[in-house]
Amino acid sequence: MSVDMNNLPAHVAIIMDGNGRWAKNQNKPRSMGHYAGLTKAKEIVGAAAGLGIKYITLYIFSTENWKRTADEVGYLMNLIRNHLQAEFDFYKKNKIRLLHIGDTSGLPADIQSDLRRAMEETAGFSGTTLVMAINYGGRDEIIRGIRKLVAQGTLPQDITEEAVSRSFDVPGLPDVDLLIRTGGELRLSNFLLWHASYAELLFTDTLWPDYTEKEFYSDIEKYQARNRRFGAVPGPQDGKHR
């Protein structure tokens, strides 16, 4: 591993795609792909924590995923439920703080309760922050944020980028530096549309359950080789990532 530990992305976001296709390739039901994907998520979060990455956001369940079959949605909800209940020791060991983005009101009541408890019990942890995007859509978050501003009586002239950012589910969430999508698809799928406006994008054909720590480190290295200009023209002294 040749990751530059002095030049890490502060916020990595991952679209964990390919669970269903992985299961099909293995002649297994889709549910086994989702289970393998959850196991992989824990592994990659551990790798991010080991590097000292400050934030990692995982696209776990989108607002569009409710369109799947009732059996598949039910299985995914059970996976989320069981993970929140069973993995606290893992988060405690690695000092990982848990946060949630998404429309909590659309989730089952017991998962809402488990999310609140997990966030409360990890609030004091100072390591990596894992942001779980559950019942999340980028457009939905923006609309809900604007509605908050309207409900608060915010005047039009006071609607700034900073005001809109403060209205989101995690007001202090920094912009995404690196967004990774596995599974070979080349789109954002309504994920962190505001936060990823200047993210470096990396797409891999690797199906999520086959994604490894080694590939994660390689993606960090690819990010570190990028020249981030944020719309500006670099000067002669500007290097990569400046």
Side-chain angles (χ1 to χ4, degrees):
M1 183 179 70
S2 57
V3 172
D4 181 355
M5 300 299 288
N6 295 313
N7 193 19
L8 294 171
H11 186 182
V12 176
I14 304 179
I15 300 174
M16 306 177 293
D17 195 16
N19 292 338
R21 281 170 286 157
W22 179 90
K24 183 178 181 180
N25 292 345
Q26 303 286 327
N27 293 315
K28 296 178 179 179
R30 287 179 63 85
S31 59
M32 291 300 96
H34 293 310
Y35 181 82
L38 181 64
T39 302
K40 182 59 60 175
K42 180 179 175 182
E43 175 186 326
I44 298 303
V45 168
L51 286 175
I53 290 172
K54 294 179 180 179
Y55 290 86
I56 180 166
T57 300
L58 301 182
Y59 207 5
I60 296 171
F61 190 91
S62 76
T63 51
E64 290 75 31
N65 286 157
W66 296 106
K67 299 174 185 177
R68 299 185 178 186
T69 67
D71 285 346
E72 185 171 359
V73 170
Y75 184 82
L76 287 166
M77 288 296 114
N78 279 330
L79 270 184
I80 293 168
R81 184 179 291 112
N82 294 336
H83 178 80
L84 289 170
Q85 294 172 353
E87 296 298 342
F88 181 72
D89 286 345
F90 167 74
Y91 297 122
K92 183 177 181 180
K93 176 183 177 182
N94 292 282
K95 302 299 182 186
I96 294 171
R97 180 177 61 148
L98 298 181
L99 294 176
H100 170 254
I101 54 172
D103 186 0
T104 308
S105 66
L107 294 170
D110 62 330
I111 292 181
Q112 294 183 40
S113 177
D114 289 341
L115 280 170
R116 285 193 298 269
R117 180 182 61 81
M119 289 188 288
E120 289 170 359
E121 294 186 4
T122 62
F125 291 170
S126 57
T128 294
T129 294
L130 167 60
V131 185
M132 299 173 290
I134 306 174
N135 196 27
Y136 178 83
R139 290 180 176 180
D140 178 71
E141 182 181 30
I142 292 170
I143 289 169
R144 288 187 289 106
I146 292 172
R147 286 174 176 167
K148 289 178 187 176
L149 294 175
V150 172
Q152 294 165 2
T154 306
L155 297 174
Q157 61 267 28
D158 294 328
I159 298 178
T160 61
E161 286 192 17
E162 292 75 16
V164 173
S165 294
R166 288 195 300 270
S167 74
F168 289 155
D169 296 332
V170 179
L173 186 64
D175 285 347
V176 176
D177 295 305
L178 170 62
L179 191 151
I180 300 167
R181 179 169 188 153
T182 64
E185 302 291 353
L186 306 177
R187 55 178 175 268
L188 294 180
S189 295
N190 200 19
F191 183 46
L192 296 174
L193 300 180
W194 180 282
H195 309 79
S197 58
Y198 272 98
E200 297 297 320
L201 307 180
L202 283 175
F203 299 97
T204 174
D205 290 334
T206 304
L207 302 177
W208 175 245
D210 290 329
Y211 190 76
T212 63
E213 289 187 37
K214 182 178 180 180
E215 187 167 0
F216 179 64
Y217 298 141
S218 176
D219 284 344
I220 299 295
E221 291 168 15
K222 290 174 184 175
Y223 161 84
Q224 293 177 335
R226 298 277 183 93
N227 187 350
R228 305 187 75 198
R229 299 189 299 273
F230 299 98
V233 176
Q237 303 302 316
D238 289 340
K240 292 164 185 176
H241 282 309
R242 302 297 189 266

